[in-house]
Amino acid sequence: MNRTALVTEVLERLKRVLPVTDRPIALHEPTFVGTEWQYVKECLDTGWVSSVGNFVDRFAAELASFTGAKYVIPTVNGTAALHTCLKLVPIEPGDEVLVPALTFIATANAVSYCGAIPHVVDSAPDTLGVDPYKLGDYLADIAEVTVEGCINRRTGRRIRALIGVHVLGHPFDVDPIQTICRRFRLDLVEDAAESLGSYYKGQHTGTFGTVAALSFNGNKTVTTGGGGAVLTNDATLAARAAHLTTVAKQPHAWRYDHDAIGYNYRMPNLNAALGLAQLENLPSLLVQKRTLAARYQAAFADLPGVEFVAEPVFAKSNYWLNALRLCDATDGVRDELLEKTHQAGILTRPLWTALHRQQTYQDCPRMALTTAEQLATEVINLPSSAHLGGSNE
């Protein structure tokens, strides 16, 4: 099938899945069908709109219950949560942190905020996350474990941690990644920004590493408008996270004494109220999203050269963003498809520009990134709002 014919066929199949509408179909937009108005109004009526209020505590408790994490510390956004996670490890200036090439740039930015260096690693084709087998071979070649930790023989710097990203909501293969982290004395930090409602072998993402970060941006399955959270099972780290995210203020009724360089990363009560209402509907949102994913998968099952990106066999995904992989496609087909879908009011997008192609990270240490580079040219994200998984009559 030539390029034009393939693009036309993909577009027609998308139209069969998606509803007929007189406005563009967004990539991902929030669904407000519950108590959002009631809870937000309560904040306005009582005046508790800022970083203190009962909705923050309730939101944290519900998140802990849903994910199985022992401790949840809400933050102002997902990047703040990830930055806090790295400070807890702790990542020190001059450390290297292993970061996948295919991720939103905030993952690497959080490393830079610590004065550390992102060390870019390759992706696995089945999960889009870190490839544990390539990574294990690579570290065996370039690193050695000493009393000071894992040392990069090429740079002389300490490799302190690995950030594993659950890309598009699909869990990465946790077991072999944990084995690598133990072997090379690395802390595992989970960037679970996209994976609320996703499970690896029955356990919720964000509960495997030393710490994890969630995001509740407006385009996530559950939104607080802007927000995030730190997850951990370590009581000491949880207390430290709560302290650092409240500008390291020592408890006192009126004094403002601070014992560390902290951050104003607290989630406002207003945002938490919105998030709590969203969490109440999360199970139904996840059902709708999986219904939509099943429709996409069925629609493209018999189209040669096009593969729906399905959840790994060991995982249950929230299908935050559905995706197609244009396998072995002729040059230019992805970009033409992006153009044609946008012209048709279907707001698709490619994956992120790979980290080592970003101007700010071109000179970072990296392994061979053959799979990540290939995926970056082949994967296209499809409209994935939960409401699209409702009736398609």
Side-chain angles (χ1 to χ4, degrees), residues 371-391:
T371 301
E373 290 180 339
Q374 184 177 6
L375 290 170
T377 66
E378 292 181 347
V379 176
I380 181 171
N381 291 132
L382 310 177
S384 301
S385 304
H387 69 83
L388 296 175
S391 173

Side-chain angles (χ1 to χ4, degrees), residues 291-310:
T291 298
L292 178 62
R295 290 175 184 166
Y296 278 134
Q297 189 166 18
F300 292 97
D302 62 347
L303 183 57
V306 177
E307 177 183 304
F308 178 75
V309 178

Side-chain angles (χ1 to χ4, degrees), residues 156-173:
R157 294 187 292 254
R158 180 177 64 164
I159 304 175
R160 186 67 178 85
L162 164 66
I163 300 179
V165 181
H166 301 290
V167 177
L168 307 184
H170 300 303
F172 61 79
D173 198 351

